[in-house]
């Protein structure tokens, strides 16, 4: 027994030591080739001194499969090493941007009826292994994106905002590929046929993001399971091409730790982007990121929450306006609270919130919003003019007020009388995991009860998961629900889909045939090539919504950011240009790392 | 003993089956699904759910699940790390978590034992009181507070150690240096637990009659303490150390986030929040097996370490 105990103790000790070093060993057997690659990887870990490297921290990425990715960090990383037909870059002057024909030789030609778009593909494009990228590659890639067995969620790019002929039917398994409106006419000509005409911004939107990048078809299909219902493409560093003709090459990807990219000299964007190397660390703790920035190990940081207070006066601080509209949805058909059916009550709620308090005290860097579309949405993608800075955008801003206690009380008195002078029970449902939304709800509870009288209104707060909240709103089982809604900066008309009578999934009770008609005209009708007409339509649609108040807009969230002194942005005034995206930085002059 | 082990293994298998079945039904009955994206058309969401049989009757889904589970095939992650198998995810995360926590254990066990011995031998003296204060501090203050504090002071202000885990993939000095702070943060509560336990057991042992006998036979206090009291008081340590060993596999959500460690911490929570059923069930299976094995090993350890204890009641 004693011997057994000694042997047991020895085995335990050996196994513990072995496990301690288990994390050290590289995965898999080391062949000489693997050793060589390992050495290369070691060399790629840190930027050599003197290189123009941009370093920042971001969330981890779950996948590099362009057909299933979901998050912004995934998109931004994929845009580094994936090629796209089109790209947005800063213009020469640095005061706006322009469309850069990346894999396409030019912006696609449009047929007279606006339904057929033809791309001419550049020659000489390649994957990192030398496989050629041409129109046939693009067609095969889109075929995989729409594959009926794979059921890739990002396939909606071809049948949600623009309707490629038979794309949805193919995805449903009800059409053959030959019937789909995506064709490689020849090796360098790609033709997209739509069921209805769309404006140029819709095309731009579809082809500047990684979803419509080419995939390495051979690798993609070789990584499929037997039933061809899944593929492991994009799940690991060795299951993804290191470049699909993108401006950078993926040099290293250690899951949940870091990803490094080096400039691709063969990319059409090589002459536009100046940064040699991009290093992204997967760090999610804001305090840690800030410490690394202060130590000079990162070149970019977001100053979220209380972090902003310390750097408020720092000249390096700039702002990036969010594309997310933040508002409260009101159930105008509520049976639980019939007062919500009364427009006067909704107006009282709208005027009764002091949005300045929410913008400054809760978000610190927010901007009060008595309108739906945030400032980052662009009315003219050729000039970069923000919709909110147009006369039409300003007109909507002046249409109502961010706060007016007297008006709020006036409307509430009318609503209270219409309610039979009975106390109104008003429920605010907020997301249980969002601290700011909770603070806003608590503020609203206090504000309304103080303003209208606690004897006349009882505000109850309810914490629920955001998925449940959206579910309840969709089913109509709610009084209120918070919403964060975003879309493409270049397509603010797409944001108005939220209010049409039948968008497929309805998250509000607003139904207006006049609104529907105007939306259709702006998205697919006679206004699509009428720039001024479209902006007027946007104004009119916003006003219609504000007339009926199925939502209460709250604030625009401006995110304060800082770049390190090494980064000299390519910008007319040295400032961060909204809607330029992080890719404005790739055109920046970056001082080499110190020796 | 062998019969006892077999009986326990059978009971474990039944317990495991019950745990997994209940977990399966609870997860599937939770509202929402992995495909629930408010911007996706409802029809698309339904087709995505159909692909993974999520719209079929629960009992049919359970049948699919059991059919695959007996082959240890829990499918692929639906959302947290899409298309990767549960095995691949565990294989990529467990090593770093185990490495980190084993170092923490190698640090906390001897420190805890030493402090416990000092406290017991110097009972009610200043050193004992000081150690008690430290123990209370380590138990009361959450480990993430230590983690943040150590990171801010040692890494940021004093610049003595790296702020986050090094990018190095092999265990060299640079990598180890970057692990020191998280190891310390993870160790403190374990040190406190072990210290208290050893102090309590050793105090009791020092007052026992066999110690009086040992001293009356001519041994010094130190000799008697080392040869008899310490060995007897360490025996029950197994039921602390073995659970600590298995709990390390769960990782530490907050500490891993603070130091950017790509470990197991948070994987289960993320999987549940994302309604990633396959990954959640796979992880629950893994943790259930580990927990059940832990309980069995602790029970068996009593009989192995102390022959006076007969498992199964046989004299």
């Amino acid at each position: 027994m004693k011997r057994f105990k000694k042997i047991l103790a020895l085995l335990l000790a050996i196994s513990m030591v072995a496990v301690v070093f288990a994390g050290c060993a590289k995965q898999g057997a080391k062949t000489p080739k693997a050793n060589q690659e390992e050495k290369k990887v070691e060399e790629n870990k840190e930027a050599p001194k003197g290189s123009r490297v941009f370093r920042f921290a971001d969330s981890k990425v779950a996948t590099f499969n362009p057909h299933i990715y979901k998050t912004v960090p995934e998109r931004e990383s994929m845009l580094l090493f994936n090629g796209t037909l089109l790209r947005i870059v800063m213009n020469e002057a640095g005061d706006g941007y322009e469309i850069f024909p990346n894999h396409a030789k030019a912006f696609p030609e449009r047929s007279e009826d606006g339904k057929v778009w033809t791309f001419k593909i550049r020659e000489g494009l390649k994957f990192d292994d030398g496989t050629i990228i041409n129109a046939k590659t693009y067609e095969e890639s889109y075929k995989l994106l729409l594959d009926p067995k794979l059921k890739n969620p990002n396939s909606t790019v071809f049948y949600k905002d623009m309707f490629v002929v038979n794309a949805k039917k193919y995805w449903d398994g009800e059409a053959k590929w030959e019937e789909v409106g995506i064709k490689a006419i020849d090796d360098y000509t790609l033709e997209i046929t739509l069921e209805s005409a769309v404006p140029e911004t819709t095309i731009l939107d579809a082809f500047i993001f990684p979803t419509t990048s080419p995939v390495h078809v051979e690798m993609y299909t070789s990584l499929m399971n037997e039933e061809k219902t899944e593929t492991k493409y994009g799940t690991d560093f060795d299951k993804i091409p290191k470049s699909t003709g993108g401006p950078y090459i993926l040099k290293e990807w250690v899951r949940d730790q870091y990803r490094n990219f080096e400039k691709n000299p063969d990319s059409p964007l090589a002459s536009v982007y100046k940064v040699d190397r991009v290093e992204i660390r997967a760090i999610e703790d804001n305090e840690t990121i800030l410490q690394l920035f202060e130590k000079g190990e990162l070149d970019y940081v977001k100053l979220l929450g209380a972090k902003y207070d310390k750097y408020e006066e720092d000249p390096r601080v700039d702002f990036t306006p969010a594309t997310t509209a933040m508002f409260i949805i009101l159930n105008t058909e509520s049976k639980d609270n019939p007062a919500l059916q009364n427009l006067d009550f909704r107006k009282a709620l709208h005027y009764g919130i002091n949005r300045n308090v929410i913008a400054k005290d809760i978000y610190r860097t927010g901007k009060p919003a008595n309108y739906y579309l945030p400032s980052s949405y662009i009315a003219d993608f050729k000039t970069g003019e923000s919709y909110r800075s147009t006369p039409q955008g300003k007109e909507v801003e002046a249409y109502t007020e961010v706060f007016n206690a007297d008006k709020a009380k006036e409307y509430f008195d009318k609503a209270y009388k219409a309610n039979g002078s009975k106390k109104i029970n008003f429920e605010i449902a907020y997301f249980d995991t969002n601290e700011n939304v909770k603070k806003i709800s608590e503020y609203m509870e206090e504000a309304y009860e103080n303003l209208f009288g606690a004897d006349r209104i009882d505000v109850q707060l309810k914490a629920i998961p955001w998925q449940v909240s959206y579910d309840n709103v969709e089913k109509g089982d709610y009084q209120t629900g918070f919403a964060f809604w975003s879309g493409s900066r270049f397509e603010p008309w797409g944001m108005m889909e939220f209010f049409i009578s039948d968008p497929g999934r309805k998250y509000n009770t607003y139904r207006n045939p006049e609104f529907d008609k105007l939306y259709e005209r702006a998205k697919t009708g006679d206004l699509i090539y009428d720039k001024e007409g479209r902006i007027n339509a946007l104004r009119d649609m916003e006003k219609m919504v504000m007339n009926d108040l199925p939502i209460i807009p709250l604030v625009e969230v401006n995110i304060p950011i800082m770049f390190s002194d090494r980064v000299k942005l390519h910008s007319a005034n040295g400032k961060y240009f909204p809607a330029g995206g992080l890719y404005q930085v790739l055109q920046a002059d970056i001082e080499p790392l110190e020796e | 003993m062998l019969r006892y082990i077999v009986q326990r293994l059978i009971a474990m298998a039944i317990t495991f089956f019950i745990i997994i079945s209940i977990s399966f039904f609870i997860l599937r009955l939770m509202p929402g699904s992995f495909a629930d994206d408010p911007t996706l058309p409802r029809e698309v969401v339904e087709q995505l759910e159909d692909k993974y049989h999520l719209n079929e009757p629960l009992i049919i889904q359970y049948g699919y699940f059991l059919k695959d589970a007996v082959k240890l095939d829990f499918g692929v992650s639906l959302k947290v790390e899409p298309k990767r198998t549960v095995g691949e995810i565990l294989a990529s995360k467990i090593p770093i978590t185990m490495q980190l926590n084993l170092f923490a254990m190698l640090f906390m066990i001897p420190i805890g034992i030493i402090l416990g011995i000092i406290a017991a031998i110097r009972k009610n003296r200043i050193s004992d009181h000081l150690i008690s204060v430290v123990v209370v501090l380590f138990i009361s203050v959450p480990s993430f507070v230590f983690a943040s504090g150590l990171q801010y002071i040692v890494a940021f202000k004093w610049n003595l150690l790296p702020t986050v885990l090094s990018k190095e993939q092999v265990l060299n000095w640079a990598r180890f240096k970057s692990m020191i702070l998280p190891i310390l943060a993870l160790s403190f509560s374990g040190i406190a637990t072990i210290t208290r336990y050893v102090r309590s057991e050793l105090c009791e042992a020092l007052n026992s009659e066999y110690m009086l006998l040992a001293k009356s036979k001519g041994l010094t206090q130190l000799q008697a303490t080392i040869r008899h009291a310490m060995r007897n008081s360490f025996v029950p340590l197994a039921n602390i150390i073995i659970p600590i060993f298995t709990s390390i596999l769960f990782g530490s959500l907050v500490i891993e986030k603070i130091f950017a460690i790509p470990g197991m911490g948070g994987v289960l929570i993320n999987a549940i929040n994302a309604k990633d059923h396959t990954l959640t069930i796979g992880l629950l299976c893994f943790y259930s097996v580990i927990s059940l094995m832990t309980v069995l090993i602790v029970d068996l350890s009593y009989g192995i370490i102390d022959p006076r204890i007969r498992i199964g009641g046989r004299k």
Side-chain angles (χ1 to χ4, degrees):
Chain A
M1 192 59 178
K2 217 173 174 178
R3 194 183 288 178
F4 173 70
K5 275 202 243 179
K6 282 186 183 166
I7 294 169
L8 182 66
L10 187 64
L11 279 171
L12 273 172
I14 291 170
S15 57
M16 269 179 63
V17 171
V19 167
V20 162
F21 290 96
C24 340
K26 280 279 181 188
Q27 296 285 338
K30 282 196 191 164
T31 62
K33 190 176 173 209
N35 280 332
Q36 270 183 6
E37 283 176 353
E38 194 181 304
K39 189 164 178 251
K40 223 175 168 182
V41 156
E42 295 289 330
E43 285 166 358
N44 280 324
K45 268 199 204 336
E46 299 293 341
K49 300 293 180 216
S51 64
R52 288 178 296 185
V53 58
F54 180 63
R55 306 158 300 171
F56 68 103
D58 211 348
S59 300
K60 45 195 170 194
V61 295
T63 181
F64 275 151
N65 182 335
H67 297 168
I68 61 174
Y69 82 90
K70 278 275 159 239
T71 66
V72 170
E74 286 161 0
R75 185 184 73 202
E76 290 195 341
S77 287
M78 279 196 278
L79 280 174
L80 287 173
F81 71 101
N82 278 288
T84 48
L85 285 168
L86 303 168
R87 198 60 77 106
I88 298 286
V89 298
M90 295 296 296
N91 61 17
E92 191 91 22
D95 59 1
Y97 40 70
E98 57 194 28
I99 299 169
F100 183 88
N102 191 16
H103 281 195
K105 283 184 182 170
F107 197 81
E109 281 168 23
R110 167 171 61 93
S111 64
E112 236 180 85
D113 61 1
K115 289 185 185 179
V116 182
W117 296 79
T118 307
F119 287 94
K120 290 287 184 192
I121 310 290
R122 288 180 195 260
E123 294 180 31
L125 298 169
K126 291 179 198 168
F127 290 98
D128 61 299
D129 65 355
T131 307
I132 292 188
I133 298 172
N134 59 18
K136 288 193 173 33
T137 316
Y138 269 94
E139 184 186 339
E140 290 294 314
S141 301
Y142 296 162
K143 189 178 175 189
L144 287 167
L145 174 59
L146 287 164
D147 190 281
K149 282 187 180 175
L150 289 171
K151 288 285 183 249
N152 291 310
N154 292 354
S155 56
T156 52
V157 68
F158 288 138
Y159 53 81
K160 190 164 170 278
D161 289 318
M162 66 177 184
F163 296 89
V164 173
V165 168
N166 288 326
K168 180 64 167 48
K169 280 193 176 158
Y170 181 75
W171 192 79
D172 288 338
E174 293 168 4
K176 293 192 193 125
W177 180 250
E178 293 69 37
E179 296 164 339
V180 176
I182 298 173
K183 290 281 168 285
I185 304 297
D186 57 48
D187 280 353
Y188 295 100
T189 308
L190 181 72
E191 191 179 86
I192 310 285
T193 308
L194 308 178
E195 289 174 9
S196 56
V198 295
E200 289 175 328
T201 46
T202 303
I203 294 295
L204 182 69
D205 225 18
F207 294 103
I208 58 171
F209 291 122
T211 300
T212 48
S213 292
V215 297
H216 196 294
V217 176
E218 195 186 323
M219 185 188 282
Y220 195 107
T221 50
S222 71
L223 291 168
M224 283 185 176
N225 59 359
E226 264 181 52
E227 298 83 9
K228 309 274 187 225
T229 55
E230 306 284 358
T231 177
K232 287 199 175 295
Y233 187 86
T235 56
D236 275 304
F237 183 67
D238 58 350
K239 296 184 177 76
I240 187 90
K242 311 305 176 282
S243 173
T244 68
Y248 291 85
I249 299 168
L250 178 64
K251 282 300 192 187
E252 238 190 317
W253 176 30
V254 176
R255 255 191 183 276
D256 301 347
Q257 271 210 280
Y258 60 91
R259 39 210 192 259
N260 296 338
F261 307 83
E262 269 182 21
K263 199 165 174 189
N264 179 6
D266 299 327
S267 162
L269 282 160
S271 57
V272 177
Y273 290 162
K274 294 182 190 167
V275 171
D276 295 325
R277 185 178 163 94
V278 180
E279 292 179 6
I280 307 175
R281 300 272 334 236
I283 302 173
E284 296 182 340
D285 184 66
N286 292 323
E287 183 61 41
T288 306
I289 295 171
L290 189 57
Q291 286 179 20
L292 288 169
F293 178 82
E294 285 295 315
K295 284 172 81 172
E297 293 180 35
L298 294 176
D299 299 311
Y300 166 80
V301 68
K302 290 180 191 169
L303 300 168
L304 299 172
K307 311 267 177 299
Y308 172 69
D309 296 341
K310 188 182 166 194
Y311 298 93
E312 204 171 340
E313 306 300 324
D314 194 315
R316 295 175 295 174
V317 174
D318 209 329
F319 294 90
T320 174
T323 48
T324 305
M326 185 186 167
F327 49 90
I328 296 177
I329 307 170
L330 300 176
N331 186 353
T332 62
E333 296 166 2
S334 174
K335 300 282 184 285
D336 287 340
N337 183 5
L340 278 169
Q341 298 176 26
N342 188 330
L343 180 59
D344 288 327
F345 181 64
R346 300 199 298 275
K347 283 183 177 177
L349 295 175
H350 174 77
Y351 285 106
I353 306 176
N354 189 341
R355 290 168 179 76
N356 294 303
V357 169
I358 297 173
K360 295 300 165 212
D361 294 353
I362 296 175
Y363 280 101
R364 287 179 170 79
T365 55
K367 184 186 168 207
N370 58 332
Y371 45 78
Y372 171 58
L373 285 170
S375 306
S376 55
Y377 284 89
I378 289 161
D380 183 356
F381 75 89
K382 287 184 174 135
T383 62
E385 189 187 14
S386 151
Y387 162 69
R388 281 265 79 89
S389 61
T390 61
Q392 295 92 333
K394 288 181 180 156
E395 198 182 314
V396 174
E397 210 171 322
Y399 197 54
T400 62
E401 290 160 85
V402 297
F403 175 60
N404 188 321
D406 293 331
K407 260 190 186 167
K409 278 192 258 193
E410 199 184 303
Y411 284 120
F412 185 82
D413 288 341
K414 288 184 195 170
Y416 183 71
K417 222 179 244 176
N419 196 47
S421 298
K422 281 189 285 196
K423 194 174 188 179
I424 296 174
N425 294 314
F426 179 55
E427 182 187 86
I428 300 177
Y430 64 90
F431 300 157
D432 59 352
T433 51
N434 191 316
E435 199 53 41
N436 284 333
V437 163
K438 184 181 173 202
K439 285 180 190 170
I440 292 170
S441 306
E442 288 168 349
Y443 164 70
M444 286 172 70
E445 179 188 15
E446 194 186 331
Y448 287 148
E449 288 184 357
N450 286 343
L451 188 61
F452 304 135
D455 55 328
R456 300 201 297 168
I457 186 167
D458 178 24
V459 181
Q460 294 135 20
L461 303 185
K462 186 164 113 176
I464 50 176
W466 67 265
Q467 300 98 326
V468 175
S469 178
Y470 278 118
D471 237 0
N472 290 345
V473 170
E474 200 181 354
K475 288 178 202 157
D477 181 20
Y478 71 109
Q479 283 194 36
T480 63
F482 272 86
F484 293 85
W485 212 255
S486 62
S488 167
R489 287 179 205 272
F490 304 104
E491 201 27 46
W493 298 271
M495 284 285 279
M496 306 314 286
E497 188 196 35
F498 187 81
F499 297 105
I500 61 175
S501 300
D502 184 18
R505 295 182 79 175
K506 186 93 177 129
Y507 290 103
N508 56 82
T509 47
Y510 184 69
R511 284 178 185 82
N512 184 341
E514 202 186 325
F515 183 97
D516 295 345
K517 203 171 166 190
L518 194 53
Y519 174 80
E520 206 189 310
R521 289 180 65 202
K523 279 291 280 181
T524 56
D526 59 302
L527 293 176
I528 56 174
Y529 304 122
D530 177 356
K531 179 190 143 187
E532 205 59 28
R534 280 190 103 204
I535 299 174
N536 288 338
L538 208 47
R539 173 203 57 203
D540 294 341
M541 284 192 277
E542 270 203 299
K543 274 186 172 174
M544 281 189 221
V545 170
M546 295 314 293
N547 280 340
D548 202 61
L549 288 173
I551 63 161
I552 304 178
L554 293 171
V555 294
E556 280 196 54
V557 181
N558 293 323
I559 303 167
I561 57 171
M562 261 198 318
F563 288 99
S564 69
D565 295 331
R566 289 177 57 238
V567 178
K568 309 279 182 269
L569 288 175
H570 175 70
S571 165
N573 56 6
K575 287 292 190 182
Y576 189 63
F577 196 91
L582 206 56
Y583 304 98
Q584 179 189 6
V585 180
L586 299 175
Q587 291 173 253
D589 281 316
I590 295 189
E591 285 170 16
L593 279 178
E594 282 170 6
E595 299 290 335
Chain B
M1 182 78 146
L2 191 64
R3 196 173 71 175
Y4 175 75
I5 293 174
V6 170
Q7 283 173 348
R8 285 295 303 268
L9 285 172
I10 293 170
M12 262 175 59
I14 295 169
T15 309
F16 175 74
F17 178 75
I18 293 171
I19 291 172
I20 292 309
S21 299
I22 293 174
S23 303
F24 175 88
F25 284 106
I26 289 175
L27 284 171
R28 294 299 163 102
L29 287 170
M30 276 167 57
S33 87
F34 78 98
D36 222 352
D37 177 353
T39 59
L40 279 180
R42 176 53 71 185
E43 192 200 347
V44 171
V45 171
E46 280 169 12
Q47 288 206 41
L48 288 172
E49 291 171 350
D50 285 342
K51 182 180 173 186
Y52 297 100
H53 309 293
L54 296 179
N55 289 324
E56 303 208 29
L58 216 50
I59 200 71
I60 294 184
Q61 291 186 47
Y62 185 56
Y64 283 123
F65 166 69
L66 286 179
K67 197 174 112 190
D68 291 332
V70 292
K71 292 182 274 182
L72 295 179
D73 175 11
F74 296 102
V76 294
S77 168
L78 301 177
K79 198 163 177 184
V80 174
E81 292 191 17
K83 315 304 179 189
R84 292 186 94 207
T85 63
V86 173
E88 284 169 345
I89 294 171
L90 288 172
S92 66
K93 292 186 181 300
I94 283 179
I96 180 61
T97 292
M98 281 199 76
Q99 188 180 64
L100 199 66
N101 286 276
L102 278 171
F103 274 126
M105 273 187 71
L106 288 173
F107 178 71
M108 81 171 78
I109 292 172
I111 299 290
I113 289 172
I114 291 167
L115 289 177
I117 292 169
I118 295 170
I121 290 172
R122 300 219 169 264
K123 189 176 171 183
N124 293 327
R125 296 196 199 168
I126 292 177
S127 45
D128 179 28
H129 293 309
L130 278 172
I131 289 171
S132 296
V133 167
V134 169
V135 163
V136 167
L137 198 69
F138 282 0
I139 285 177
S140 319
V141 177
S143 55
F144 64 82
V145 173
F146 282 120
S148 298
L150 284 170
Q151 187 188 55
Y152 184 73
I153 296 167
V154 178
F156 180 60
K157 282 289 181 195
W158 295 345
N159 205 20
L160 290 175
L161 291 168
T163 305
V164 294
L165 186 71
S166 160
K167 288 183 188 178
E168 303 288 333
Q169 297 303 297
V170 290
L171 186 64
N172 54 20
W173 173 237
R175 174 91 160 173
F176 183 73
K177 245 176 57 171
S178 69
M179 290 165 72
I180 291 174
L181 293 181
I183 286 169
L184 286 174
L186 286 167
S187 308
F188 291 152
S189 70
I191 287 173
T193 306
I194 293 172
T195 302
R196 283 174 69 209
Y197 204 85
V198 167
R199 181 190 179 280
S200 161
E201 291 292 316
L202 194 53
C203 281
E204 200 180 313
L206 287 172
N207 290 328
S208 56
E209 286 176 358
Y210 63 79
M211 280 294 289
L212 188 62
L213 176 65
K215 280 190 280 189
S216 67
K217 278 177 157 185
L219 292 178
T220 63
Q221 174 72 21
L222 186 63
Q223 284 171 325
T225 304
I226 292 171
R227 288 185 202 179
H228 298 288
M230 276 170 58
R231 291 172 76 178
N232 283 323
S233 57
F234 284 177
V235 163
L237 262 185
N239 75 341
I240 296 177
I241 291 173
I242 294 172
I244 289 176
F245 182 79
T246 51
S247 74
I248 66 178
L249 293 171
F250 289 80
S252 168
L253 168 63
V254 181
I255 290 179
E256 287 183 4
K257 192 179 170 193
I258 289 171
F259 292 104
I261 296 166
M264 287 295 293
V267 176
L268 183 57
I269 294 172
N270 290 342
I272 293 171
N273 283 337
K275 311 285 184 298
D276 194 335
H277 299 305
T278 49
L279 181 58
T280 307
I281 278 286
L283 290 172
L284 284 173
C285 285
F286 174 71
Y287 288 135
S288 302
V289 166
I290 297 297
S291 300
L292 290 169
M293 291 297 298
T294 303
V295 171
L296 178 64
I297 291 170
V298 167
D299 286 348
L300 293 178
S301 70
Y302 285 123
I304 292 169
I305 294 168
D306 188 348
R308 292 173 297 175
I309 298 169
R310 292 280 180 258
I311 300 292
R314 192 166 62 90
K315 287 201 177 167

